[in-house]
Amino acid sequence: MRTPVGIVGAGPAGLMLSHLLHRQGIDSVIVETRTRDAIEATIRAGVLEQGTVDLMVATGVGERLQREGFPHHGFELRVDGVGHRIDLHGLTGGRHVTVYPQHEVLKDLIAARLADGARIVFGASDVSLHDVEAAPKIRFTDAEGRSQVLDCDLVAGCDGSHGICRQAIPESVRREYLRIYPFGWFGILAEAPPSAEELIYARSERGFALISTRSPTVQRMYFQCDPNDRVDNWSDDRIWSELQARVKGDGFALREGAIFQKGIIPMRSFVCEPMQHGRLFIAGDAAHTVPPTGAKGLNLAVADVVVLARAVADLIQRNDAAGVEAYSATAVRRVWRAQHFSWWFTAMMHRFDEVGPFDARRQRAELDMILQSPTAARLLAENYVGQPLT
Ligand code: RFL
Ligand code: PHB
């Protein structure tokens, strides 16, 4: 098999890249370890920036998103039981975010790619990269057990934080920046009506909680937990009482319901630089991870591949290598901006057990600044809605 662009991973980065390349007349093949059913059933992100939504609409994959997504013009910052609205629309000159689950984005992209005749190899195993400096190859075993070799002009590593592509950048040139947080998020899905019209980011003495939504009948909620805790330690009753304790105040209470999914998510900030080596380009979670507090991960993956798709088109169609040569430097600027924001919002909203009383008071003063100063609130709002895509 041969393709101009071999893509490893059918997540938001890989699928969107393949879609954008196709719109510019460039063929690609995606090699993915999971099955289509597994991908379309995995619950992850929920918040799309305006730039992501606009891109999906402009490139013909936003029809269901426009119909079924929920625009959110603000969110609540709840501090020690008192709610304060962050007016995203007012603070950013009319911008907002849209709640539309990641797996729905993936369903739309997969359907569009297959309708356009794309080759997506689902259920591959033993995926490996070879000769990325000169003549890249992706080797894998397909779902029928046959060994395959895919010769490519370029390879896009879009295989997420646990993928293999990053390791193909030699250690001598690869620099990794990592921060591990001393907590994780316990996430649930529950069959319940929404408790509020907008998302709630809550800071309390007991720690952080996030009240998000998936639909009028399914709600997504998280609370800060010990990253080494076990899901079995948490009965439904215990989960609800912990969540209620973290948001209670001014008469507010969550509407409870049957919990049908539970999981613990570790929290880390990570960047790998450079995001390219030879003919390999890494994008999305393969190159960087943000803690989910700022809701940036999926949006950053999309922003990376917008830069990459344009650069690849310039190279293949105009023999202009300037874009691909600058890919890492271009993409990483936005990545670090989002890293800073995600770290800042995380640091402000979570309980850090190991910090002393000075830092606890300083953290509260920082939140007070957001609540009292429109200038400070605008900084939060502008970063949350995200920078426009270039
Ligand atoms: P993905 O989605 O991980 O996709 C990578 C794909 O590569 C496949 N793969 C391989 N394929 C072939 N060979 C291999 N060796 C392979 N190894 C892996 C995998 O099976 C997978 O299909 O990476 P991508 O495309 O970079 O997309 C990144 C986003 O998925 C991620 O950043 C977001 O989910 C992060 N995130 C959020 N982002 C937002 O923008 N807004 C949010 O509200 C938001 N909330 C979240 C989140 C992530 C969460 N978790 C579970 C970490 C909430 C949570 C709880
Ligand atoms: C979600 O709905 O899963 C979600 C929303 C906002 C975040 C993170 C996750 O910041």
Side-chain angles (χ1 to χ4, degrees), residues 190-193 195 221 236-237 240-241 244 253-258:
E191 274 166 36
S195 299
M221 304 182 201
D236 292 10
D237 282 350
W240 284 119
S241 71
Q244 297 285 14
L254 294 170
R255 299 168 78 175
E256 300 181 8

Side-chain angles (χ1 to χ4, degrees), residues 233-266:
N233 290 335
W234 290 84
S235 66
D236 292 10
D237 282 350
R238 186 172 171 218
I239 291 171
W240 284 119
S241 71
E242 190 60 45
L243 278 165
Q244 297 285 14
R246 293 192 190 192
V247 299
K248 75 162 190 259
D250 58 18
F252 177 78
L254 294 170
R255 299 168 78 175
E256 300 181 8
I259 297 173
F260 62 93
Q261 205 225 40
K262 306 178 191 178
I264 292 178
I265 304 142

Side-chain angles (χ1 to χ4, degrees), residues 180-360:
I180 296 174
Y181 296 84
F183 42 75
W185 277 14
F186 198 108
I188 63 160
L189 282 168
E191 274 166 36
S195 299
E197 281 180 9
E198 296 180 338
L199 267 55
I200 301 173
Y201 289 83
R203 162 83 177 90
S204 80
E205 277 310 306
R206 301 184 67 88
F208 173 78
L210 168 58
I211 313 305
S212 181
T213 182
R214 282 295 177 272
S215 75
T217 56
V218 173
Q219 309 313 315
R220 179 76 162 142
M221 304 182 201
Y222 304 92
F223 57 92
Q224 172 183 357
C225 67
D226 178 343
N228 302 313
D229 206 341
R230 292 191 21 228
V231 166
D232 309 341
N233 290 335
W234 290 84
S235 66
D236 292 10
D237 282 350
R238 186 172 171 218
I239 291 171
W240 284 119
S241 71
E242 190 60 45
L243 278 165
Q244 297 285 14
R246 293 192 190 192
V247 299
K248 75 162 190 259
D250 58 18
F252 177 78
L254 294 170
R255 299 168 78 175
E256 300 181 8
I259 297 173
F260 62 93
Q261 205 225 40
K262 306 178 191 178
I264 292 178
I265 304 142
M267 300 271 278
R268 58 185 51 200
S269 298
F270 172 78
V271 182
C272 167
E273 286 187 53
M275 292 168 58
Q276 66 192 96
H277 180 70
R279 293 168 169 267
L280 168 68
F281 302 85
I282 57 174
D285 279 17
H288 41 73
T289 315
V290 284
T293 324
K296 288 279 164 265
L298 184 160
N299 298 291
L300 267 188
V302 168
D304 285 350
V305 300
V306 166
V307 175
L308 186 54
R310 190 173 308 133
V312 168
D314 283 346
L315 180 70
I316 291 180
Q317 290 169 338
R318 284 172 283 284
N319 205 23
D320 173 358
V324 289
E325 280 164 10
Y327 165 67
S328 182
T330 307
V332 98
R333 279 196 288 275
R334 186 189 192 96
V335 169
W336 277 108
R337 174 109 186 254
Q339 286 292 353
H340 173 262
F341 170 65
S342 303
W343 162 83
W344 177 59
F345 197 23
T346 301
M348 197 160 57
M349 296 302 291
H350 287 71
R351 179 189 151 130
F352 287 77
D353 286 330
E354 72 281 17
V355 307
F358 177 87
D359 282 298

Side-chain angles (χ1 to χ4, degrees), residues 8-14 31-34 39 43-47 102 127 158-164 220 222 265 283-286 292 295-299 301:
V8 185
V31 179
E32 162 63 51
T33 44
R34 293 192 301 157
I39 291 172
I43 307 292
R44 290 184 80 179
V47 176
Q102 176 164 332
V127 182
C158 302
D159 51 348
S161 50
H162 303 295
I164 51 134
R220 179 76 162 142
Y222 304 92
I265 304 142
D285 279 17
K296 288 279 164 265
L298 184 160
N299 298 291

